[in-house]
Amino acid sequence: MLEVDGLEVRYGAVPAVRNLSLSVAESEIVGLIGPNGAGKSTTLHAITGLTPAYAGDVRLDGRSILGLAPEAIARAGVALVPEGRRIFADFTVEENLRLGLAARRDGDGRGALAEAFELFPVLREFRRRSAGALSGGQQQQLAIGRALVAGPRVLLLDEPSLGLAPTVVDGVFDALVRIRERGVTIVLVEQRAQRTVALADRTEVLANGELRMTLGPKDAGDTARMVAAYLSA
Amino acid sequence: MSAPLAALDAQTIVDAIGLGAVYALMAVGIGLVFGVLRLVNFAYGQLVMVGAYTLAFTSHWPVAAGIAACFAVVVALSIVMDRVLFRPLRGQSPAVMLVATFAVAFMLQAAALLVDIRDGTIGEIAGSIASFNRAIVVGGVEVRKITIAAVIVAAVALGLLALLLARTTIGLHMRAAATDFGTARLLGVRANRVIGLAVVLSGVLAATVAVILTVQNPFVGPDFALRETIVVLVGVVVGGIDRLWTATLGGFAIGFATGVINGVLPTDKSVYLPSAVFALVILVLLVRPAGLFAWGRAAAERV
Amino acid sequence: MRRSLDALVQVLGPAALVVAVGFGATRVGRATEIYFLDALVSVAIVVALYVFIGNSGVLSFGQLSFVAVGAFAAGVTTIPLDSKTNVLPQLVPVLRDHTIGNVPSLLLGAAVGGVFAFLVGMPLMRLSGLAAGIATFAVLEITHNVLREWNKIGPGATTLSLVPETTGPLQATIGALVAIAAAFAYQRSRLGRQLRATREDPAAARGVGVNVHRQRLWSFTLSGALAGFAGGMLVHELGSITIEQVYLELTFLTLAMLVVGGVSSLWGAVVGALAVSGLNSFLIEAEQGVDVGVTLDLPTGTRLIILGGLMALVLILRPSGLTGGREFRLPGRRRLAEAG
């Protein structure tokens, strides 16, 4: 459904991502892990149009979305939960969610909000509060909810567990499972390798801008294999 | 012995409020464009100038038609400015944007001179609406109708704008774009729509200011509103350009302060008025570079 | 060895161009000579602007204040004694009763400009970005206001005239060369390099111990001194000066010269000054009717339109300026030349 084909992204003369090809099928959860600076965020930015690609293609349902404006890609059904969450701290929780509706193709804003509240009840509780007053975990839920109200086909998450306590991360990952059950495809970029590998249908390892190996859930307990994956840079 | 400072009387205050209102409108026009484009439009005053010239050239039309023409021309020019100038300049350094809009400002001024001087004199008279400049007397204070109109129009315009921004979807999108354009686009906010609306509103405000200023001073020349634009720009930065309401407050404050100082300072001392005002500006910027009314997370880095 | 050669080439390029213009000034008639002199004085002013703006990355609208005080200082102190009391009756005795020579007046201009810049810069160099732009603009406004009203030290709102016209081709060329040499020496020095580091990444520069405020202050002071010097050149070229001539329009013009040429290199400053000055002069002629094969006679007032439009166009199409912000290098040299 989402196809990345030979993607190359450069910062100046330096390639940050090289010849990256990745295929994601409908309702899959695909993990993308790797050390710092491997190019994971860059890949997501290229897919969503925040960063221009030097070469390659990105296709959604066979249609190329490379080079489109970020808002057009969002409206096509690709939603990103950015690194650091990037919520609007001065707006209320509800305003943040309503912002997410900008990419929604049908007009059912109310239904979308209801779904988000169902998934993350704390958002309903704090709907009139300033988003900046929320805790880190709650803000993460808001960021995900905001991406979901657009009714995306694909949900991309950039290190959602960053700065969160383990129990909170559990909650987030549980939510991802429920989101997948609603038919949303998920690409999860993470630093926490083990949990990602355990959760995802498959996990790709990215190092130095290139895909190195694929791991399955059964590899989650195999420390040696994980270390080898990271060190194969 | 020089004259003592005049007492601060009601007349001075009323006039100062009127001036502040007009400056506040201009401040919003400048602040709106800055908010979504991160661009200080030095040529903003030229929008007002063009509006004034339109009123002058349509002096023989019925008043309403002339005003409608003014709005149409100014909004059109504002849109053209965006397409031709702002769009290519997006993302450039502040120095480049400043000089480019500065260049356009001089260009438009010179163009106005060219058009104006065809009849051999510089300056046109916007005669038809000058009748609004008559005064009524309220409690011993002479209040010009146009001052009342200015304050009312400014209040209504600002109120409507506040409603638009707070209550509507497009207003929400604009606020988001002004805070974090990248993330807003990521969420589906249409950049061109938001920028287009900001540009149109900015033009509407400039046209409004043109009407008010022309009533107060029907003699229109190529440097119409040049002085005011500079002062408003300074006021906006001093108030805090990063948020719309601090920018507006800054515009109002500098207008009000100018009006008060003008009324209070004796004439032989007031030659140094600009120095006093600008020294104050420097002082404020040194103490609070993000703006007088900005607080908390100073957006000093942004600019 | 290679690096020193590159550096030498970097300064010889602009210098050679300036000398060529100076030489050209001697070959043309009196009427056209003024355009060449204008170009050279512009070079001095724009190089002064570049020393601060180009190296620090901070936009200043106020540098012409220093040109103004330099021009006034050099002008007032060189008017012949016997005419002075008639032309400037209100002058304080120390200025009224003394007169100095041509070169001392240029040095005085530099001194006055430099001191003024130092005093202004001490508080102001803490600012960046838009705040710095507005604050320096305020300095320009204050200078304009004070010089316009205070006729104890200068002509006030009237024209200062009878200043000896000592800026001919030789003085203009040497003056421009002096400015270029000073700017180049500065940007190659440790001070200059430290400042340029703050331009790229202020936080990183601070991290390695660069005192941003102090470096900006040095640069601002040097810029002020060169601007004052250029002001002296200017007043001796025109033989007169009014405060309006060193105010908004010249600020815009010189800033545009710098940005169009390329704000971050000395080569950019020189090229921009000469190119825009040349165009400006050509347009002035064209407005009066000029023969370029066919007769070109532009209506009055089109000059600023064309100038402004062309400048905006350059910035839209090539925002880094005509030189791309790079220093001069000989064609065929593969290495990307950088200043310092």
Side-chain angles (χ1 to χ4, degrees), chain A residues 9 31 34 42 55 59 71 74 77 101 117 120 131 140 208-209 220:
Chain A
V9 182
T42 308
R59 285 186 289 272
E71 55 260 46
L101 291 175
F117 288 148
F120 301 117
Q140 187 61 61
N208 249 337

Side-chain angles (χ1 to χ4, degrees), chain A residues 48 50 69-71 74-75 78 80 82 85-86 88 90-91 95-96 98-103 146-147 150, chain B residues 165-169 172-173 175-177 179-192 243 297:
Chain A
T48 50
L50 287 180
E71 55 260 46
R75 282 201 306 278
V78 179
L80 174 68
R85 301 177 261 282
R86 304 240 232 134
F88 292 86
D90 288 339
F91 296 10
E95 280 178 325
N96 269 273
R98 275 177 50 214
L99 254 184
L101 291 175
R146 184 182 67 178
Chain B
L165 289 176
R167 292 294 161 92
T168 66
T169 304
L172 178 65
H173 290 188
R175 281 189 289 139
T179 309
D180 184 349
F181 215 143
T183 306
R185 294 182 77 181
L186 210 53
L187 297 173
V189 167
R190 286 174 159 93
N192 288 338
R243 300 178 104 100
R297 314 163 287 109

Side-chain angles (χ1 to χ4, degrees), chain C residues 10-92:
Chain C
Q10 282 176 6
V11 72
L12 285 184
L17 204 52
V18 159
V19 168
V21 173
F23 183 69
T26 60
R27 313 305 285 166
V28 297
R30 201 78 214 287
T32 327
E33 182 194 62
I34 188 109
Y35 296 132
F36 285 77
L37 298 181
D38 270 347
L40 293 171
V41 174
S42 300
V43 166
I45 298 178
V46 176
V47 167
L49 289 187
Y50 156 76
V51 162
F52 177 67
I53 299 176
N55 286 309
S56 71
V58 177
L59 191 60
S60 165
F61 280 102
Q63 304 309 91
L64 254 77
S65 310
F66 313 125
V67 175
V69 297
F72 271 47
V76 165
T77 52
T78 50
I79 294 179
L81 270 178
D82 41 357
S83 342
K84 208 184 273 195
T85 23
N86 297 326
V87 172
L88 299 169
Q90 314 243 28
L91 223 50
V92 296

Side-chain angles (χ1 to χ4, degrees), chain B residues 40 84 88 92 95-96 98-100 102-103 106-107 110-111 114 227 230 237 241 271-272 274-275 278-279 282 285-286 289 303, chain C residues 59 61 123-124 127 129-131 134 137-139 141-142 145-146 149-150 247 252 256 259 300-302 304-305 308-309 315-316 319:
Chain B
V40 181
V84 170
Q92 288 303 329
V96 169
L98 235 46
V99 177
F102 213 4
F106 270 84
M107 210 174 96
L114 210 61
R227 200 78 227 158
I230 294 176
V237 174
I241 199 172
V271 286
Y272 287 114
S275 294
F278 282 109
I282 292 179
L285 286 175
L286 284 176
V303 296
Chain C
L59 191 60
F61 280 102
L124 251 55
L127 299 174
L130 206 49
I134 296 288
F137 180 78
V139 170
E141 289 285 344
I142 293 176
N145 189 208
V146 169
E149 303 300 330
W150 201 10
Y247 183 41
F252 158 63
V259 178
T300 323
T302 44
L304 280 179
I305 300 178
L315 288 177
I316 290 174

